[in-house]
Amino acid sequence: MSALAHSQVETAATARDAFVRALQFRFACKLFDESRKIAPADLAYILEAGRLSPSSLGLEPWRFIVVQEAKLRRRLRPSCWNQVQVTTASAVIVILALRAELDPEADYPRRMLSRLLPAGADFDETMKIYRGIAHERRISWSVAQCHIAAANMMTAAAMIGIDTCPMGGFEPEPVADILGIDRHKYVIALIVAAGYRAQPQPPRQRLPLSDIVTYR
Ligand SMILES: Cc1cc2nc3c(=O)[nH]c(=O)nc-3n(C[C@H](O)[C@H](O)[C@H](O)COP(=O)(O)O)c2cc1C
């Protein structure tokens, strides 16, 4: 093996180890150390992992609200099943899935889809396919993609030693009211609390691969 090929193999092995370590580091952290705040550059790194996530048709159907203000997080907590993560975290990232703007008659799908198509492609044909998707299906599909962005942000956080907790336990109506979110325009897909753990990581509970994978 040449010296270059050898160093590429080593680099790949190092990246692989770092990635697996991050996956093992991450857990759904319930209690954060309130005295530790995430540095703005680290928060930007985490959000960038969300921004770079894949989305169907390149629609990027997510918007992120980063709630750092302690007072606002205290107001949110009762609507988040009173979960302690909300007030102990350094930030909670509220992930909004687009709803109204996914309407084929809105400007947004047209603008985003046109970026994907090569010059000369039949844009009307693409819009026809898009129109054929039921609106409710477009919305649940938008929410599913927000979960991909959330997963990437949580792994990115773990890569730099930041803990997270994905939270589906919240009441959408009061959360939207507190944050001034227009529920006609957005669905609250998920909330991700982020900060530094104030508790040890519990043992990982996972089914073995043999229970969840079949090869054909
Ligand atoms: C979509 C989603 C919603 C979740 N909602 C909550 C939640 O509201 N509160 C909570 O403490 N954990 C929540 N979790 C975390 C899971 O309970 C946790 O990931 C699972 O038990 C596995 O544990 P681990 O992530 O620590 O390995 C959620 C996870 C996902 C993926």
Side-chain angles (χ1 to χ4, degrees), residues 50-51 53-64 96-104 106-117 123 126-127 129-131 133-135 137-143 145-146 149 186:
R51 187 179 79 92
S53 297
S55 61
S56 181
L57 299 172
L59 284 172
E60 303 177 45
W62 44 64
R63 298 293 180 266
F64 309 129
L96 306 181
L98 295 188
R99 170 184 244 159
E101 277 177 307
L102 295 183
D103 188 303
D107 175 57
Y108 189 78
R110 186 166 287 277
R111 178 159 68 87
M112 300 301 273
L113 287 171
S114 65
R115 303 184 311 177
L116 276 191
L117 296 181
F123 187 67
T126 307
M127 281 308 293
I129 296 168
Y130 185 74
R131 271 195 197 90
I133 305 168
H135 193 56
R137 186 164 163 218
R138 274 189 224 115
I139 294 165
S140 56
W141 177 57
S142 169
V143 170
Q145 287 163 78
C146 287
Y186 307 106

Side-chain angles (χ1 to χ4, degrees), residues 176-202:
D177 288 347
I178 291 166
L179 296 176
I181 294 163
D182 180 346
R183 294 184 67 224
H184 169 70
K185 284 186 77 176
Y186 307 106
V187 177
I188 305 175
L190 193 69
I191 297 177
V192 176
Y196 294 90
R197 67 187 72 183
Q199 59 177 172
Q201 180 171 7

